[in-house]
Amino acid sequence: MNARKPVRHVAIVGTGTIGGSWATHYLAQGFDVTATDPAPTAEAALRSYVETAWDAAASIGLAPGASPDRLRFTADLRQAVADADFVQENAPERPELKVRLYADIDDATPPETIIASSSSGITMSVIQAECRRPERTVIGHPFNPPHIVPLVEVVGGTKTAPQTIREAMSFYATIGKKPIHLKKELPGHVANRIQAALYREVVHLVQEGVLDVADSDDAVSWGPGLRWGVMGPHMLWHLGGGEGGIEHFMDTLMPRMVASWQELGTPEFTPELKEKIVGGVREEAGGRSVDELAARRDAMLSALLAVRAQYDPSGPPSAAAGHPAQEGP
């Protein structure tokens, strides 16, 4: 593999919700961004998204030189990636599309450029199948919205070079993300599988009439969700073990938890259950639009990140601190 250049120019391929959020984040981090998407209304929708999301991104911190004016758009894929130092792909989740798209991106980009996919369900081993340089392709899967939530799941395919994984991890860490390295490929990666497991039990409880939709949301967001916002489950169990810590928890409380796994439900997702959830969510939303609710979510997430930054030195760096991408040539 060729030596990497400092990343100064990022290409965004696919400008839907995830692509628009990634574009916002990279702009807020002080990069030049070129975006591409074949949809006829893509540019207008992207610029509108960035304008709407900018205040939330700014509340977390802007890097020196950060500006929405550094966004360019072209419908020509080859032109968009021709001089990119890093590519973040966000195309629809269709394997045959991803395979063709990656072959085209691989052919059009400089050979030292890392090509990262935001794919949530397709493995890189599948996506990189027809690339001439598959060693520089990697999954860089964000958690929505990427311009707010720091998590990025990094996992390579069978042909991805270990160097690519290390450099992707390092790059994401320098731009305010919290990358985690998945050592094995699996559909859905990790974070989506965790939330799917939780949601399965939530849906089961709603179906069984144990509680309604709004109360099920409160049971998560006002209980374990609050704790998960500051620590993960293993560390929380360590605290739950008292003076004996995780060893005491594993010896005395874990057996009961393991026994309870057999009681967890597997709901049958019927049309009736679907309507029950839809109706419950509409009632809980109380007439507020999706945009209104998203703005409220993002404001609270930004505030939570600010609080975490005061207490957690291992967290993502502040954008205002700058990163290697902004150094001069």
Side-chain angles (χ1 to χ4, degrees):
M1 296 178 65
N2 296 331
R4 306 281 186 211
K5 299 184 299 181
V7 177
R8 296 185 175 89
H9 175 207
V10 175
I12 300 292
V13 178
T15 60
T17 300
I18 298 299
S21 184
W22 265 126
T24 302
H25 180 73
Y26 284 118
L27 290 165
Q29 288 290 318
F31 292 95
D32 292 316
V33 174
T34 301
T36 185
D37 192 296
T41 60
E43 180 176 6
L46 173 61
R47 293 191 182 279
S48 176
Y49 185 101
V50 171
E51 180 181 2
T52 300
W54 192 255
D55 286 347
S59 70
I60 297 173
L62 298 178
S67 172
D69 294 337
R70 298 177 72 170
L71 173 64
R72 293 184 296 155
F73 184 93
T74 174
D76 187 320
L77 172 67
R78 298 187 70 88
Q79 181 180 347
V81 304
D83 59 351
D85 302 315
F86 191 91
V87 176
Q88 189 77 49
E89 172 271 319
N90 319 275
E93 293 284 293
R94 300 201 301 272
E96 67 284 356
L97 171 63
K98 295 273 195 186
V99 170
R100 292 196 307 270
L101 179 62
Y102 258 66
D104 290 341
I105 296 173
D106 180 46
D107 184 60
T109 50
E112 69 275 9
T113 299
I114 289 177
I115 309 170
S117 177
S118 298
S119 177
S120 60
I122 307 171
T123 64
M124 183 47 64
S125 290
V126 171
I127 296 172
Q128 67 186 192
E130 295 183 7
C131 290
R132 291 189 296 116
R133 302 183 187 91
E135 67 278 358
R136 44 77 170 265
T137 62
V138 67
I139 294 287
H141 174 246
F143 220 55
N144 193 36
H147 69 282
I148 300 289
V149 181
L151 181 67
V152 178
E153 298 173 308
V154 177
V155 56
T158 55
K159 299 177 182 178
T160 302
Q163 177 186 348
T164 298
I165 295 173
R166 290 192 298 270
E167 292 183 357
M169 291 282 292
S170 177
F171 172 65
Y172 283 128
T174 64
I175 62 167
K177 308 306 286 183
K178 186 70 172 178
I180 60 172
H181 177 207
L182 278 57
K183 299 174 178 61
K184 295 182 179 180
E185 290 184 293
L186 70 170
H189 313 312
V190 169
N192 278 336
R193 291 173 70 99
I194 292 172
Q195 70 174 7
L198 170 67
Y199 193 56
R200 182 179 73 174
E201 183 61 16
V202 169
V203 170
H204 167 70
L205 295 171
V206 171
Q207 185 174 52
E208 292 298 305
V210 176
L211 73 180
D212 62 24
V213 169
D215 282 342
S216 72
D217 277 351
D218 287 344
V220 174
S221 67
W222 287 100
L226 275 179
R227 300 194 305 189
W228 292 332
V230 296
M231 289 183 185
H234 292 107
M235 284 301 295
L236 288 169
W237 294 157
H238 183 49
L239 301 184
E243 291 185 5
I246 190 65
E247 294 87 354
H248 180 70
F249 183 92
M250 289 294 167
D251 290 340
T252 62
L253 299 176
M254 193 64 184
R256 278 184 283 169
M257 182 177 292
V258 172
S260 74
W261 291 348
Q262 305 303 317
E263 302 172 7
L264 298 178
T266 303
E268 180 184 358
F269 195 70
T270 62
E272 293 77 17
L273 177 57
K274 173 186 172 183
E275 290 304 314
K276 187 174 185 179
I277 292 173
V278 169
V281 170
R282 294 293 186 192
E283 182 177 352
E284 186 181 0
R288 291 169 293 181
S289 70
V290 168
D291 288 344
E292 289 173 320
L293 291 168
R296 182 170 180 263
R297 174 202 64 191
D298 293 351
M300 289 191 288
L301 287 172
S302 298
L304 175 60
L305 287 171
V307 171
R308 285 203 60 162
Q310 298 177 34
Y311 293 91
D312 188 359
S314 67
S318 168
H323 49 74
Q326 291 143 245
E327 296 175 357

